[in-house]
Amino acid sequence: MNIVVGVTGGIAAYKSVHLVRLLIKAGHEVTVIPTEDALRFVGQPTWEAISRNTVTTSVHDDVAQVRHVALGQATELVIVAPATANTIAKMAAGLAADLLGTTLLATTAPVAIAPAMHTEMWQHPATQANIATLRERGVHVLGPGDGELTGGDSGPGRMLEPEQIVDAALALLMPQDLEGVRVVVSAGGTREPIDPVRFLGNRSSGRQGVALAAEAADRGADVELVAANIAADVLAAAGHPRIRVRSVQTAAELGEAMRDAAASADVVIMAAAVADYRPTEAAEHKLTKESGTLERIELVQNEDIVAGLAQSASEKQLIVAFAAETLTDPDARRERARRKRERKGVDLLAVNLADAEHGFERADNAVEIIGTGGAVVASVAGSKREVAREIWNAVQNVRA
Ligand code: CTP
């Protein structure tokens, strides 16, 4: 995709170097248009090196190409980050004294701005009126966040993190095919307490489930994310106004939360790794070698949550399960997944290979999606977000 990144004169300009990198890494063609002021914070060579494109600030460069119009017309998305109070005022007034100003007037592509300024400047009636004007014209205002500002102050005005800006800006171009659809996703791994300091757990990080929740929200769904022991940095990717997070620890808590949330859901995706067994009872005090109580831990089986949900599902409700298998032979793995789908009574089952190099705790994943009659309805390898996209596409095909 052709993306213009406008950079204006705030200290947060240094963060936009990372933002441009993220877009390039995701395969986009990026043209950076800084303002003259922005170049006082980060210089032209940095923007050229990182974007692999020429960078100018003025309409008087490359005049023969009528760059301001050409860029405005060719771009599919404009992101202004950071957007200073001054730039926001110029945008609201429609000023076109530099290449960024003219490009913003010449484009019909979606425009997202990430404001960055001191709290007083953000809250000033002039800035707020300008923001209201821009919103009215369809400009998407991302943030600002609330946090540390330059000079030791803290409050609203901090530019969102580059990852958040990229996700939110790219989401503007996504189909809203899940709008109005109520979705429940479980993610992470349960922990079954043995005693106050130990538990039975598994290696699920929650990344795949969080990616499923984020993808659904970006496509318009209302999402309930039931999160079992997910690290804060992983969970951060689910920071979306349409995602509600419920945190749970054990399989029993997960089951209860899922039944409750599933009651009003159109689609349920059970991506959490659930402990099949739990200690018969959690010891009140730490088990010790001395007492000999550590040698043998008695276990009792947990209920199969997804099978229960599938059994009580309404006609229209769609249930998706996961299976992480260690069988390396793809045919044997597929057969096992087919049996598991039948046994659990779910509509779709996404199966992946889980060993030292695949599956858990990794950024990438590879799954096959098994549907009715055992048919492989999709096969995808890529980032967990890409896998999430294909799973939702498969869900939409069944729902169609
Ligand atoms: N699952 C569940 N409740 C359980 C165990 C698993 O809802 N008590 C769900 C998982 O969230 C996943 C699917 O069932 O969506 C498959 O999990 P898996 O552990 O592979 O299934 P098991 O029935 O435990 O099969 P196995 O005998 O291979 O462990």
Side-chain angles (χ1 to χ4, degrees):
M1 195 188 308
N2 284 313
I3 301 176
V4 163
V5 175
V7 183
T8 74
I11 185 77
Y14 81 91
K15 287 192 180 178
S16 294
V17 176
H18 183 47
L19 185 148
V20 173
R21 260 195 78 134
L22 290 171
L23 291 170
I24 297 281
K25 265 178 78 178
H28 301 292
E29 180 72 27
V30 180
T31 304
V32 178
I33 310 182
T35 58
E36 275 299 319
D37 260 0
L39 295 181
R40 296 166 73 114
F41 293 92
V42 178
Q44 180 182 355
T46 302
W47 297 120
E48 291 198 336
I50 212 90
S51 71
R52 302 169 201 159
N53 266 322
T54 44
V55 168
T56 67
T57 61
S58 161
V59 274
H60 305 302
D61 300 319
D62 278 335
V63 178
Q65 288 182 35
V66 200
R67 233 176 155 227
H68 62 289
V69 181
L71 279 173
Q73 286 170 341
T75 192
E76 291 153 270
L77 174 68
V78 181
I79 304 172
V80 183
T84 58
N86 187 42
T87 294
I88 288 168
K90 286 198 289 187
M91 283 176 77
L95 295 184
D98 56 9
L99 186 59
L100 180 57
T102 50
T103 304
L104 282 163
L105 285 187
T107 192
T108 53
V111 175
I113 64 168
M117 65 198 75
H118 274 274
T119 304
E120 291 81 354
M121 294 172 77
W122 171 248
Q123 289 172 342
H124 193 283
T127 305
Q128 287 303 309
N130 290 332
I131 286 287
T133 302
L134 293 181
R135 280 207 171 107
E136 220 167 83
R137 288 187 199 140
V139 170
H140 302 271
V141 182
L142 312 178
D146 195 327
E148 248 174 69
L149 303 166
T150 332
D153 295 347
S154 184
R158 186 183 157 89
M159 187 172 89
L160 293 185
E161 294 308 315
E163 287 81 1
Q164 291 173 298
I165 296 170
V166 166
D167 285 351
L170 293 179
L172 297 176
L173 300 168
M174 287 176 68
Q176 294 297 294
D177 60 334
L178 289 167
E179 196 170 353
V181 178
R182 284 161 307 176
V183 160
V184 186
V185 179
S186 73
T190 66
R191 292 182 178 178
E192 311 300 322
I194 296 170
D195 65 19
V197 297
R198 302 183 180 91
F199 57 81
L200 286 177
N202 59 68
R203 290 173 50 199
S204 177
S205 64
R207 281 196 179 84
Q208 186 61 70
V210 166
L212 280 158
E215 172 77 12
D218 284 345
R219 282 163 70 165
D222 290 308
V223 184
E224 187 102 30
L225 176 64
V226 181
N229 309 297
I230 301 179
D233 63 324
V234 175
L235 202 54
H240 188 290
R242 277 195 301 274
I243 301 182
R244 215 179 76 138
V245 180
R246 288 193 204 198
S247 292
V248 297
Q249 298 258 326
T250 64
E253 287 169 14
L254 179 64
E256 206 178 303
M258 289 305 288
R259 276 187 296 278
D260 184 42
S264 57
D266 302 301
V267 182
V268 177
I269 300 193
M270 191 71 187
V274 187
D276 289 318
Y277 291 85
R278 67 177 181 276
T280 311
E281 58 183 330
E284 198 181 328
H285 296 288
K286 191 177 151 190
L287 304 182
T288 60
K289 291 192 284 292
E290 209 174 52
S291 65
T293 45
L294 253 177
E295 277 165 31
R296 217 168 280 278
I297 298 164
E298 205 177 304
L299 301 177
V300 54
Q301 197 164 354
N302 282 326
E303 56 162 340
D304 190 320
I305 301 167
V306 80
L309 292 172
Q311 212 161 41
S312 57
S314 68
E315 186 82 5
K316 282 209 225 114
Q317 200 174 46
L318 201 137
I319 315 270
V320 184
F322 267 77
E325 305 291 353
T326 53
L327 291 170
T328 45
D329 174 44
D331 291 329
R333 193 162 68 240
R334 207 171 293 128
E335 270 318 307
R336 206 172 133 67
R338 286 186 173 122
R339 288 197 302 276
K340 196 170 277 190
R341 193 195 75 83
E342 286 284 333
R343 193 171 73 234
K344 303 216 175 222
V346 296
D347 299 282
L348 296 172
L349 184 131
V351 56
N352 70 298
L353 174 63
D355 62 12
E357 277 95 47
H358 305 88
F360 289 158
E361 295 172 326
R362 307 186 68 87
D364 287 356
N365 206 358
V367 309
E368 276 187 345
I369 307 170
I370 314 285
T372 323
V376 178
V377 296
S379 176
V380 54
S383 71
K384 289 190 170 171
R385 186 59 186 242
E386 281 157 353
V387 168
R389 191 162 305 145
E390 281 311 313
I391 291 174
W392 281 113
N393 289 345
V395 165
Q396 286 296 70
N397 283 339
V398 177
R399 276 165 45 83

